[in-house]
Amino acid sequence: MPADCRCGPTACDFADPGAHADPLLGLFWPAADDPAILPVRASAAPRPGPDTFDLLKLPVAATILREGARERAVIADGPRHLRLETSGDSLTRGPVRLHYDLTDFHRLRARLLTLHRLEAVVRLGRLPTGLYERDPLALRWMNALAAWTMKQEGASQIEIAISLFGAASVDSESMERMRKRVARLLDLATRRIALAHRRFLGTAPEPSISAEQDRA
């Protein structure tokens, strides 16, 4: 069971203290915006069994956001994540039976991969690296968000660089280059957060940020 479990009126956090550096554990978006998010309906089970899922028993980090009758769940094992959007009974109350929504053929491949990952984390207690392709662009987005989070907490650009890339990567010769690298990450995070905010408010979005811009 996760070492540190906290619930508020609209959210629950089952993350180990060391997992709180992961900014993606605190970010949520609807399944309609991400084909990899698996929609499920949860039904409370009277007792654990081979057909039940118990989030509280997983030895990995997890957070849940409650939005009306739905819950959005993020399960994380280091840099690997999976996301669920649930209706019905709460995942925070113990074992449940999950009924999976696989009806959309356009999203079926992505949802089946998430289901495969969910099966693996239940069976193994971890998210195997073999179920995740290396995505340099996604890694850059994660680094940008992590840099932005550290900046909000008062970290300097050099402190951010050391945290993201290791102390060995920052020396007197590379310091200015690493400052510029962090500055680009912060700029990327600012632009993507602003775009997400505009979408949330329903205002007209600016032109989408291209992959080439994100790699700049």
Side-chain angles (χ1 to χ4, degrees):
M1 181 175 182
D4 192 10
C5 303
R6 296 176 298 279
C7 280
T10 60
C12 283
D13 182 356
F14 304 97
D16 289 324
H20 290 288
D22 182 354
L24 293 184
L25 277 170
L27 291 180
F28 303 88
W29 50 85
D33 293 344
D34 186 347
I37 296 178
L38 180 61
V40 301
R41 180 169 56 84
S43 302
R47 62 186 64 86
D51 62 342
T52 64
F53 172 74
D54 193 344
L55 181 68
L56 305 181
K57 299 296 184 183
L58 293 182
V60 292
T63 53
I64 289 178
L65 176 69
R66 298 192 188 100
E67 291 187 341
R70 294 186 179 274
E71 290 181 343
R72 307 191 198 282
V74 185
I75 298 171
D77 178 16
R80 297 170 294 282
H81 303 76
L82 70 84
R83 293 175 179 270
L84 305 175
E85 183 173 282
T86 70
S87 59
D89 293 316
S90 176
L91 298 181
T92 66
R93 302 296 178 85
V96 294
R97 292 187 177 92
L98 298 180
H99 308 271
Y100 311 102
D101 181 357
L102 301 173
T103 56
D104 187 340
F105 277 100
H106 295 290
R107 295 169 177 253
L108 184 58
R109 184 185 296 271
R111 289 180 179 177
L112 285 173
L113 179 56
T114 300
L115 185 58
H116 192 182
R117 292 167 175 170
L118 180 63
E119 184 276 333
V121 77
V122 171
R123 176 169 50 90
L124 303 173
R126 58 185 175 85
L127 289 167
T129 56
L131 295 180
Y132 291 82
E133 295 182 2
R134 182 173 176 82
D135 186 341
L137 187 56
L139 179 61
R140 178 167 174 76
W141 291 350
M142 289 176 62
N143 283 341
L145 187 55
W148 186 87
T149 301
M150 286 185 276
K151 183 68 174 178
Q152 304 312 301
E153 295 174 349
S156 68
Q157 289 182 335
I158 294 302
E159 289 171 333
I160 294 171
I162 291 173
S163 177
L164 291 178
F165 311 116
S169 65
V170 182
D171 55 30
S172 58
E173 294 183 357
S174 66
M175 189 171 296
E176 186 60 28
R177 176 169 54 84
M178 296 306 290
R179 287 183 191 274
K180 292 179 180 179
R181 185 176 181 183
V182 170
R184 289 194 297 270
L185 288 175
L186 292 172
D187 179 64
L188 170 60
T190 300
R191 287 184 284 123
R192 295 198 67 85
I193 290 170
L195 179 60
H197 183 64
R198 288 193 299 274
R199 286 175 175 170
F200 178 77
L201 292 177
T203 56
E206 292 181 359
S208 59
I209 300 169
S210 70
E212 289 304 318
Q213 284 179 294
D214 281 348
R215 292 191 183 98

